[in-house]
Amino acid sequence: MPPMTEDTYGSRVEKWTMREMQLNRLHEEIIARRESLLHSTGAFLRQQVDKKGTVLPITQTLDEITVRNERLIKDLRDTEWRLAQEAEKPADTKFLTLQSNYWSMIRSMEPLWKESMAQAGLRQPAAGSTMPKTART
């Protein structure tokens, strides 16, 4: 497996960003279609009630369903916003310490690993490609 380069990483990020944008558009289309179907179903039910003059055996009215759905959508958006706020917070000090210790161990073990690779006759990756830039200090 060839070593991951910055270009490969950048192209993967770009690819996944494009895919996420496509999925967001598809999601919006699905929501719009759902809304359209909900409205047409409501119109159909009202038309049936008007024709027969009786109330259909529905446990919830269309207005109650609409209110419930709007509340659920609001809750989802609020949760999404809170998660985004949480993701923007700096990392926990315990995590940063663990990360620092991990990369220190990797840096200290790298010469031994390279030596074992050479003894096994395996090709070593290009210099600097084994660790992320943040860990090369």
Side-chain angles (χ1 to χ4, degrees):
M1 183 171 149
M4 186 185 290
T5 64
E6 192 66 35
D7 291 333
T8 304
Y9 177 76
S11 66
R12 285 184 181 176
V13 168
E14 185 177 328
K15 174 184 153 191
W16 287 111
T17 303
M18 296 278 290
R19 181 67 178 146
E20 184 177 2
M21 289 170 48
Q22 288 174 337
L23 290 173
N24 282 337
R25 278 194 299 270
L26 181 59
H27 176 71
E28 292 298 324
E29 289 174 16
I30 290 170
I31 288 175
R33 191 171 204 197
R34 182 187 162 279
E35 296 258 342
S36 172
L37 288 170
L38 183 63
H39 289 297
S40 64
T41 301
F44 174 76
L45 288 174
R46 281 190 290 277
Q47 184 182 30
Q48 293 300 313
V49 168
D50 289 345
K51 272 186 185 177
K52 295 179 181 179
T54 60
V55 177
L56 294 175
I58 298 176
T59 58
Q60 291 181 315
T61 66
L62 184 60
D63 292 335
E64 290 171 335
I65 292 169
T66 302
V67 168
R68 183 204 65 200
N69 288 349
E70 288 172 354
R71 189 174 55 244
L72 288 172
I73 290 170
K74 181 186 179 302
D75 288 346
L76 286 172
R77 287 188 177 135
D78 289 346
T79 302
E80 200 173 51
W81 180 82
R82 282 194 307 273
L83 287 173
Q85 295 299 314
E86 194 68 30
E88 290 177 4
K89 288 183 181 177
D92 182 46
T93 55
K94 289 181 183 178
F95 173 76
L96 293 174
T97 302
L98 182 63
Q99 183 183 36
S100 175
N101 290 343
Y102 172 79
W103 287 113
S104 293
M105 184 207 51
I106 294 296
R107 281 191 295 278
S108 68
M109 297 299 290
E110 186 178 23
L112 295 173
W113 174 73
K114 286 183 177 181
E115 183 180 318
S116 68
M117 293 285 285
Q119 288 175 354
L122 300 173
R123 185 175 65 88
Q124 295 179 16
S129 66
T130 58
M131 287 186 256
K133 288 181 181 178
T134 58
R136 291 188 214 138
T137 56

